Amino acid sequence: MARRLAQALMFAVIAALALPLSMASGRAAGTDVEATLPVDGVARSYILHLPPAAAGGNPLPLVVVLHGGGSNADSAIALTGFSAEADTEGFIVAYPNGTGRLKPTAETAGQFSWNAGDCCGAAMRQDADDVGFLRALVSTIEQERAVDRHRVYAAGFSAGGMMAYRLACDASDIFAGIAVVSGAILVPSCTPSRPVSVIHVHGTGDEAVPFKGTPERESYARAKFPPVRDSVAFWAAFDGCRAQPVARATVLGIKVEDYPDCRAGTAVRFDVVEDGYHAWPDGQMTPGFAATPHIWRFFADHPRL
């Protein structure tokens, strides 16, 4: 299982890095800014994508996109296509880099992860203050750009999805909503200060973050994964939604479960990809279902009230 987990977590990274440059840079309509931010004496890096709409000066939504384990901001750009979506829909995107090894080798340079609680990698071992970094990142962007503070969101894949859950737990005062693809809550004690909208996308055939969880800690991620439904059910309960979701089929192989009547205008949605593996759905392996525009529509419909 540990070997399959390692292979699966790295699959999306390899696939993203293998994309043609034209696809990875298919965001030419906007502007990319590479920057660093000092946090606890460490220079943390990120890429900021500004859509053409940013030139107008009106406050725009902000989406923080969190890469998977063993990956980085550049790979997240290529994997998710959020920059192209931002250019079309008019929102700002930040792609932060997580924490790497203290002494990276040529092979591990540029491979980062997130301290998502009980996961993952060097970030967890070093107890990196990734919540503090991402708080500072949002604050810096808000000071430098016109941001709609009612529309600040986080989206993440794999370890990045687990970090998005941690932000919902520990920084719910900032984030109106989160999107998780192939992740789970691994925060030992999740105590949000306010409701957060949550959309979770997960394949039933995911071997890296198993749909039904794991009975013991996995050696690669050093985590014991709970059943995915437990993470979704936690947020449905905290947000005061109905306990039983309303299920509906959308496109072939996708089942949507919506938890209605959540408080404070929030929503909880669970998209189950039948036989789906550990991947960011791009509309090709899942015809008719691409995660990025689907997530953006959910975010756009659920600002903080």
Side-chain angles (χ1 to χ4, degrees), residues 22 29 42 55 109 120 132 138 170 182 206 231 237 242 246 252 257 277 286 293:
S22 59
V42 177
C120 303
V138 172
D170 296 348
S182 299
D206 192 329
S231 298
R242 289 188 200 171
V246 176
L252 184 64
E257 299 179 3
Y277 55 92
T286 51

Side-chain angles (χ1 to χ4, degrees), residues 10-31:
M10 289 302 297
F11 175 82
V13 177
I14 295 170
L17 290 174
L19 287 174
L21 182 59
S22 59
M23 292 181 66
S25 60
R27 53 198 196 287
T31 302

